[in-house]
């Protein structure tokens, strides 16, 4: 029976013997040093008689679940106006019902949830947490202290533009607003001529997908804290220059239309900058003309060998190079017309040209006939005794010319009623003999110009009515 006993307690690896009046031995707050093997024995209160030792019991002592304070948002550093969310994490067990929070070693009874939100700068300090549950272990260990502090001044963002000015129409432009450290920010973008309309982005970039003239302006940005309405100072402003890339110029030789079988050379040129390569396009296709037996691309030229009717189309070109601007504007569309060299159009042209030449030749022959006949008439008039002296001839010619201007007689050669011939008077040298004085179909005659009426023409021109006669 239990009465009349005292108790002695023993621990392995310890020479100490603990004695108690009652039958219990209490460890007030177990720690790692309490771990070990224990046993006991009874001793009679009124004698030195001891019982045998009890069975031994090994006491295992393990640590309580660890608690850790973490910052849920935002990422440090913190700034005035920020709201910071702290979370108490306990790795072991999941049924923690109650959390203890301490700021600067002072319990915060109003905050008993796993997360708490504090406002800066008023609630800055050192924070510690622990947890409590219904079953063993009921408590966790206390966390290490976490210091929540802030920076008094917000940083100024840096604004960069890629690519560098100037940018060319159609290029992608990226404006980057950077605050260091970069986490916890939203960004606002401003454009000088946009009536203070700002663009907001979650990331720190503002992208113009294809620059145009309307995008040319002055830009700046600022950062805004995600968890407050606090804004950074504005960045420096950057002026974005937008200009058109150079335009390709397309020429063709020979000029359109060309004939089947011809060799056609198209040349593409970009006047400004260097290092251009050229692509050629045909029709509405966006696929460049490829090298082939008939299409030869060399440098800035495209040569079409043996043009065919299938080559008739619109052609255009574009320059490309490795550095900005990487491409030129496309050239104007040039229409190449190819005609069949066997077309009936060519014989018709030949017939028309031949007919024209024939008519022209006939006119020349008629004029020569008239001139020859007129020369024979002068020869007849110059023979002695037939018409009298040269003076009478001149007088008769003058009278006949006067009468010819007023008459309506029709000449046998020519198309009009009167034939006018301009006669150039030259000095004649004395001929050695009659053979030298005459040439085939040519008559030399000394003429004395007479004063004519003003309406008869210039004074060095003689008008005569010539009767055309058949000659032998």
């Amino acid at each position: 029976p239990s009465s009349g006993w005292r108790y002695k307690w023993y621990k392995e690896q310890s020479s100490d013997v603990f004695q108690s009046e009652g039958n219990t031995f209490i460890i007030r707050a177990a720690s790692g040093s309490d771990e070990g093997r224990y046993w006991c024995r009874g001793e009679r209160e009124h004698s030195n008689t001891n019982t045998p030792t009890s069975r031994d019991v090994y006491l295992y002592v393990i640590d309580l679940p660890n608690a850790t304070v973490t910052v849920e948002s935002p990422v440090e550093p913190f700034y005035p106006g920020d709201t910071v969310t702290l979370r108490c994490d306990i790795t072991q067990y999941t049924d923690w019902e109650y959390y203890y929070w301490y700021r600067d070693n002072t319990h915060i009874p109003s905050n008993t949830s796993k997360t708490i939100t504090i406002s800066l700068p008023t609630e800055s300090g050192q924070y510690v947490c622990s947890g409590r549950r219904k079953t063993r272990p009921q408590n966790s260990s206390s966390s290490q202290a976490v210091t929540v502090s802030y920076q008094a001044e917000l940083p100024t963002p840096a604004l960069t533009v890629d690519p560098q000015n100037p940018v060319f129409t159609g290029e992608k432009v990226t404006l980057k607003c950077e605050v260091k450290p970069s986490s916890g920010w939203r960004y606002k973008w401003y454009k000088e001529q946009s009536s203070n309309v700002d663009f907001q982005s979650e990331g720190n970039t503002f992208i113009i997908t294809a620059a145009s003239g309307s995008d040319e302006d002055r830009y700046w940005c600022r950062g805004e804290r995600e968890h407050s309405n606090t804004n950074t100072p504005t960045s420096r402003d950057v002026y974005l220059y937008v200009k058109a890339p150079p335009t390709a110029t397309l020429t063709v030789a020979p000029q359109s239309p060309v004939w089947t079988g011809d060799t056609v050379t198209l040349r593409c040129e970009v006047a400004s900058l260097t290092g251009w390569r050229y692509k050629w396009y045909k029709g509405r296709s966006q696929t460049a003309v490829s090298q082939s037996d008939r299409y030869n691309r060399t440098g800035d030229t495209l040569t079409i060998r043996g043009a065919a009717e299938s080559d008739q189309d619109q052609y255009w070109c574009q320059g490309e190079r490795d550095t900005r601007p990487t491409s030129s504007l496309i050239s104007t569309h040039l229409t190449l017309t190819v005609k069949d060299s066997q077309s009936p159009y060519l014989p018709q042209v030949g017939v028309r040209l031949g007919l024209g030449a024939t008519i022209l030749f006939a006119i020349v022959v008629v004029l020569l006939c008239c001139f020859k006949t007129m020369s024979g008439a002068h020869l007849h008039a110059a023979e002695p005794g037939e018409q009298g002296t040269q003076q009478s001839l001149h007088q008769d010619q003058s009278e006949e010319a006067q009468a010819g201007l007023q008459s309506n007689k029709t000449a046998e050669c020519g198309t009009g009623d009167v034939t006018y011939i301009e006669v150039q008077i030259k000095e004649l040298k004395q001929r050695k003999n009659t053979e030298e004085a005459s040439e085939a179909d040519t008559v030399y005659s000394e003429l004395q110009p007479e004063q004519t009426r003003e309406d008869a023409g210039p004074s060095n021109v003689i008008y005569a009515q010539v009767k055309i006669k058949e000659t032998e």
Side-chain angles (χ1 to χ4, degrees):
S2 61
S3 60
W5 298 97
R6 293 188 298 267
Y7 295 91
K8 291 182 180 180
W9 302 88
Y10 301 88
K11 181 183 179 186
E12 187 180 24
Q13 305 297 331
S14 175
S15 59
D16 296 332
V17 177
F18 308 97
Q19 187 168 320
S20 64
E21 294 296 327
N23 65 346
T24 58
F25 175 64
I26 298 175
I27 301 171
R28 298 291 180 186
S31 66
S33 61
D34 297 317
E35 183 171 325
R37 193 177 304 277
Y38 292 83
W39 65 92
C40 69
R41 71 193 313 170
E43 182 183 60
R44 292 300 289 171
E45 292 179 347
H46 303 286
S47 69
N48 293 325
T49 305
N50 295 315
T51 67
T53 60
S54 70
R55 69 179 181 90
D56 58 282
V57 173
Y58 194 92
L59 180 65
Y60 294 91
V61 180
I62 62 175
D63 292 334
L64 291 172
N66 292 323
T68 305
V69 175
T70 57
V71 178
E72 191 171 66
S73 64
V75 178
E76 292 186 89
F78 307 125
Y79 299 95
D82 281 355
T83 55
V84 180
T85 300
L86 302 177
R87 186 178 69 246
C88 187
D89 292 310
I90 303 175
T91 56
Q92 294 171 280
Y93 309 104
T94 59
D95 55 346
W96 301 97
E97 295 180 336
Y98 192 86
Y99 292 87
Y100 298 93
W101 287 96
Y102 301 85
R103 180 174 65 242
D104 298 334
N105 296 321
T106 301
H107 181 231
I108 308 173
S110 60
N111 292 324
T112 59
S113 61
K114 184 175 182 177
T115 61
I116 63 171
T117 300
I118 61 175
S119 298
L120 299 179
T122 58
E123 295 180 311
S124 62
Q126 288 187 328
Y127 284 81
V128 173
C129 77
S130 63
R132 183 177 177 85
R133 58 195 293 264
K134 290 181 178 180
T135 58
R136 297 180 59 247
Q138 290 183 316
N139 296 310
S140 72
S141 65
S142 295
S143 69
Q144 296 291 327
V146 171
T147 301
V148 179
S149 59
Y150 62 92
Q151 294 185 6
E153 294 183 359
L154 277 74
T156 300
L159 177 60
T160 57
V161 179
D162 183 43
Q164 296 292 322
N165 273 320
V167 299
F168 297 92
T169 53
E171 281 188 323
K172 177 182 177 180
V173 183
T174 302
L175 290 87
K176 185 176 182 180
C177 191
E178 189 171 10
V179 179
K180 293 183 179 180
S182 58
S183 60
W185 299 98
R186 292 186 296 265
Y187 295 88
K188 291 183 177 181
W189 302 88
Y190 301 87
K191 183 179 179 183
E192 186 174 24
Q193 300 300 328
S194 61
S195 302
N196 294 326
V197 174
D198 59 287
F199 311 92
Q200 185 163 318
S201 61
E202 293 297 327
N204 66 340
T205 57
F206 175 63
I207 297 176
I208 301 172
T209 54
S212 64
S214 61
D215 296 315
E216 181 168 313
D217 213 329
R218 194 175 306 278
Y219 293 82
W220 65 92
C221 69
R222 71 193 313 170
E224 180 183 65
R225 294 298 288 169
E226 291 178 345
H227 301 281
S228 69
N229 293 324
T230 307
N231 294 316
T232 68
T234 57
S235 70
R236 69 181 180 93
D237 57 274
V238 172
Y239 195 89
L240 183 66
Y241 293 92
V242 181
K243 63 181 296 185
T247 303
T249 302
L250 177 61
T251 56
V252 62
Q255 293 293 323
S256 188
V258 299
W259 308 103
T260 55
D262 284 354
T263 297
V264 182
T265 300
L266 293 94
R267 184 169 182 265
C268 191
E269 182 181 13
V270 180
S272 59
L273 306 175
T274 58
W276 292 104
R277 301 181 299 273
Y278 297 94
K279 284 189 173 181
W280 305 87
Y281 300 89
K282 178 182 177 183
R284 298 182 179 179
S285 173
Q286 298 299 316
T287 303
V289 175
S290 58
Q291 186 88 358
S292 66
D293 293 339
R294 295 182 54 248
Y295 288 84
N296 181 35
R297 299 180 304 170
T298 304
D300 60 353
T301 60
L302 171 66
T303 303
I304 303 175
R305 296 189 180 97
E309 291 184 349
S310 60
D311 298 319
Q312 180 168 295
D313 213 327
Q314 283 190 336
Y315 291 82
W316 49 285
C317 67
Q318 187 175 24
E320 293 184 339
R321 64 185 202 137
D322 296 329
T323 56
R324 298 180 51 247
T326 56
S327 62
S328 71
L329 296 178
I330 64 172
S331 68
T332 55
H333 288 61
L334 187 149
T335 300
L336 180 66
T337 302
V338 181
K339 292 186 176 296
D340 187 0
S341 59
Q342 303 301 320
S343 172
Y345 174 77
L346 287 178
Q348 291 177 7
V349 172
V351 170
R352 292 174 183 175
L353 291 177
L355 180 59
T358 303
I359 295 174
L360 180 60
F361 178 77
I363 293 174
V364 171
V365 170
V366 170
L367 291 177
L368 288 176
C369 177
C370 294
F371 182 76
K372 181 177 179 182
T373 304
M374 180 189 67
S375 299
H378 277 287
L379 178 62
H380 181 75
E383 292 179 358
E386 188 172 331
Q387 292 292 338
T389 64
Q390 290 183 2
Q391 182 175 0
S392 63
L393 174 61
H394 291 173
Q395 184 175 357
D396 293 341
Q397 288 177 345
S398 178
E399 291 174 357
E400 288 178 1
Q402 190 72 14
L405 291 173
Q406 299 174 0
S407 66
N408 231 354
K409 296 180 180 180
T410 302
E412 294 179 7
C413 182
T415 58
D417 296 334
V418 179
T419 299
Y420 297 91
I421 298 177
E422 181 177 344
V423 180
Q424 184 175 1
I425 308 302
K426 296 183 178 180
E427 293 291 331
L428 296 179
K429 295 181 180 180
Q430 185 66 32
R431 302 293 178 179
K432 292 181 180 181
N433 50 54
T434 57
E435 293 180 357
E436 296 177 351
S438 63
E439 295 178 3
D441 299 330
T442 303
V443 176
Y444 295 93
S445 175
E446 292 184 0
L447 301 178
Q448 181 64 35
E450 291 183 359
Q451 194 67 26
T452 59
R453 296 182 307 171
E454 291 181 359
D455 59 351
S459 60
N460 59 349
V461 178
I462 295 175
Y463 294 89
Q465 183 176 2
V466 180
K467 294 181 179 180
I468 306 301
K469 295 181 179 181
E470 293 292 333
T471 57
E472 295 179 358

